[in-house]
Amino acid sequence: MDFELSREDRLFLESVKSFAERVIAPRWVDLDEGKWPIEEAAARLGEAGLLGIPLSSKYGGQDGTFLQAALAVEELAYADPSLAVPVYVLLETAWPYMVQRYGREEAKEEVLPEVARGRAFVGIGSTEPQGGSDVASVVTKAVKEGDLWKLYGEKNMVTGVATILNLPYGGGVVAITRTGRVEDKHRGITTFLALLKRRGRVTPGFTHRDWDEIGRHGLPTGYLTLEGLPVEEVFMLGELNGGFKVAMEGFNLARTVIGAASVGAARWLLDRGLEWIRQRVVFGRPIASYQAVSFRFAELYARLQAAQLAVYKAAWVADRFYRGDSAFTVQDVATAGAVAKLLAVPLAVEVALEVMKWFGGASYFKETNVARALLGVLSYYVGAEGAENIMKLIIARNVVGREFV
Ligand SMILES: Cc1cc2nc3c(=O)[nH]c(=O)nc-3n(C[C@H](O)[C@H](O)[C@H](O)COP(=O)(O)OP(=O)(O)OC[C@H]3O[C@@H](n4cnc5c(N)ncnc54)[C@H](O)[C@@H]3O)c2cc1C
């Protein structure tokens, strides 16, 4: 057991911190207010080597680890607690990695270097209007027509479609589609990298509209209607009817880094809260001198350390598994990722609400920015990349046993 980062990881963390402080922190409010486009942030992230951290250098990546990705996302969330930038980076940690792991060589060589440079975005198209939690029941169809697959259906709450359309190369979504019978559940699912814009040209066969979100305005989420979107065979990920595991592995990784984003935002909130309670004088004393305030700080501080360790452990487990350590299984990655999300996300929401109370009425006004962080972490609290109960379901199934849950 060693709680110290390696020299390489320490240097990496210092360079991300410096980048986040210089480039992201001064602009995060602009980003949230639509005054700094995410595509510009993406180009800077690409230059800094923060997109596709665990991707192979063969595809323009950094040959980095999931621990490094978690460290980076945490620092980016400290710099942008509304979470647009860290969510961009965490999605580009998980889903392009699935393209690298399960994609055909030609697809990887074309798309992944564009992702790493911030010229393409690869998101996830899983959720459908009838519900997001039951991924094995998706009904969006992929039908073979001649040489091409054509996608028909509705995907809801897809992050990054507008971003894809604005990026120079473009990109797409890892689309979870039905190729078998609905009754076949997870055995009838195939996953494709469905490019919505490729080499600067928008693909025909889809429409989209953005939702008007309550927070995290920097990275839009919308509704995607697939009306025969063409996908070449080479963009299939994994095997025909074998796509469910691709999706599950992607979610496992995403959840680990979502934990990191939540920890980063919670750290930012708690630091702002600490500054405030030390200097805010009420009834003649700083409010930090009231135990009702400082004990609550202590409790949240302790729980945040625990959540942070759970995130680092989940990243470490993912690194072990994906680097071929046979002592770890994909279930270990799933459990650790679910633990990370389950601990970190509600805690970040709780920290935000408590810090808002310490700020009192001032927190209700946009200028204090605390509410922007609350609205950012709320996206994961209400369900993005898996609702809280689904995290419990994963842990219970893997630990208590599938026969019981
Ligand atoms: C900001 C934002 C961005 C998003 N981005 C994406 C994206 O890029 N791509 C994408 O595909 N999706 C995205 N989503 C959707 C997200 O993945 C879904 O919200 C999530 O999977 C939950 O699905 P749902 O909202 O349809 O809730 P439902 O599946 O309808 O669930 C509703 C409630 O029922 C509970 N529930 C469901 N089943 C069970 C059960 N078996 N036991 C106990 N409780 C249960 C859930 O915990 C939840 O509280 C995004 C969502 C948000 C808010």
Side-chain angles (χ1 to χ4, degrees):
M1 181 70 60
D2 185 354
F3 285 96
E4 210 168 26
L5 292 176
S6 69
R7 186 168 178 274
E8 192 188 341
D9 289 344
R10 234 180 24 247
L11 291 174
F12 173 80
L13 179 59
E14 278 163 21
S15 84
V16 178
K17 236 184 210 168
S18 143
F19 169 85
E21 282 168 10
R22 269 183 305 109
V23 180
I24 305 299
R27 302 300 304 270
W28 78 277
V29 174
D30 285 347
L31 186 61
D32 201 44
E33 292 185 344
K35 296 175 193 157
W36 190 44
I38 189 78
E39 296 78 18
E40 277 184 26
R44 302 297 303 270
L45 291 162
E47 282 163 21
L50 295 174
L51 295 172
I53 292 166
L55 291 181
S56 160
S57 49
K58 184 176 173 200
Y59 306 115
Q62 303 298 315
D63 293 321
T65 61
F66 288 105
L67 178 61
Q68 288 175 341
L71 293 169
V73 167
E74 183 183 327
E75 283 319 309
L76 292 166
Y78 192 90
D80 170 17
S82 85
L83 295 193
V85 167
V87 170
Y88 190 110
V89 173
L90 76 85
L91 289 170
E92 298 320 273
T93 295
W95 297 107
Y97 190 76
M98 286 302 110
V99 175
Q100 174 174 292
R101 184 163 162 80
Y102 288 108
R104 315 294 189 259
E105 194 56 34
E106 203 181 319
K108 297 196 273 194
E109 282 176 8
E110 179 179 328
V111 180
L112 295 180
E114 301 284 354
V115 168
R117 289 168 64 198
R119 291 166 44 84
F121 179 86
V122 170
I124 168 70
S126 168
T127 307
E128 297 184 350
Q130 74 278 6
S133 300
D134 186 6
V135 179
S137 297
V138 296
V139 294
T140 290
K141 265 201 227 156
V143 183
K144 192 86 191 266
E145 293 178 17
D147 287 345
L148 290 173
W149 288 90
K150 297 266 181 84
L151 271 45
Y152 300 90
E154 316 275 315
K155 291 289 181 186
N156 194 8
M157 303 185 236
V158 180
T159 297
V161 176
T163 312
I164 288 166
L165 298 178
N166 288 331
L167 284 170
Y169 174 95
V173 293
V174 171
I176 302 174
T177 68
R178 176 127 333 258
T179 40
R181 296 173 313 159
V182 176
E183 311 84 88
D184 294 338
K185 295 281 224 169
H186 66 279
R187 290 189 191 83
I189 284 175
T190 304
T191 308
F192 295 89
L193 172 57
L195 292 175
L196 304 173
K197 184 176 170 189
R198 183 180 184 192
R199 299 185 182 125
R201 295 182 62 175
V202 178
T203 315
F206 75 94
T207 56
H208 120 276
R209 70 187 150 85
D210 280 336
W211 289 116
D212 188 5
E213 291 165 90
I214 58 169
R216 205 190 75 187
H217 301 289
L219 184 60
T221 293
Y223 196 92
L224 181 63
T225 304
L226 300 163
E227 298 156 334
L229 182 87
V231 182
E232 289 175 22
E233 179 87 25
V234 75
F235 289 103
M236 187 186 284
L237 303 177
E239 301 305 316
L240 182 65
N241 293 325
F244 190 71
K245 74 169 181 185
V246 180
M248 291 303 112
E249 281 189 45
F251 283 127
N252 293 342
L253 295 174
R255 285 165 191 154
T256 300
V257 262
I258 285 165
S262 306
V263 166
R267 267 180 46 215
W268 180 86
L269 283 156
L270 215 48
D271 281 356
R272 302 292 77 74
L274 182 59
E275 286 163 7
W276 179 267
I277 63 176
R278 281 175 170 157
Q279 57 94 15
R280 179 71 175 170
V281 175
V282 183
F283 291 107
R285 287 159 58 185
I287 58 173
S289 66
Y290 301 114
Q291 286 188 350
V293 174
S294 58
F295 277 25
R296 193 74 180 110
F297 174 88
E299 185 197 320
L300 294 169
Y301 177 84
R303 284 167 57 204
L304 186 52
Q305 293 216 358
Q308 190 184 42
L309 287 177
V311 169
Y312 295 168
K313 177 171 174 204
W316 176 83
V317 170
D319 282 322
R320 287 295 167 115
F321 174 72
Y322 285 106
R323 284 170 186 239
D325 185 336
S326 59
F328 293 86
T329 64
V330 74
Q331 275 74 29
D332 295 328
V333 183
T335 306
V339 168
K341 186 169 191 271
L342 183 63
L343 292 181
V345 171
L347 177 62
V349 171
E350 197 179 328
V351 169
L353 290 171
E354 191 66 28
V355 170
M356 286 183 79
K357 284 197 280 183
W358 296 341
F359 270 79
S363 67
Y364 204 68
F365 303 99
K366 282 187 178 167
E367 283 75 2
T368 47
N369 290 328
V370 179
R372 289 184 206 274
L374 169 69
L375 295 173
V377 290
L378 267 183
S379 68
Y380 285 121
Y381 187 71
V382 298
E385 307 263 356
E388 193 173 309
N389 284 349
I390 303 307
M391 298 309 102
K392 293 179 186 171
L393 196 65
I394 293 166
I395 298 165
R397 276 186 179 158
N398 288 347
V399 181
V400 182
R402 272 188 171 265
E403 63 275 35
F404 299 104
V405 189

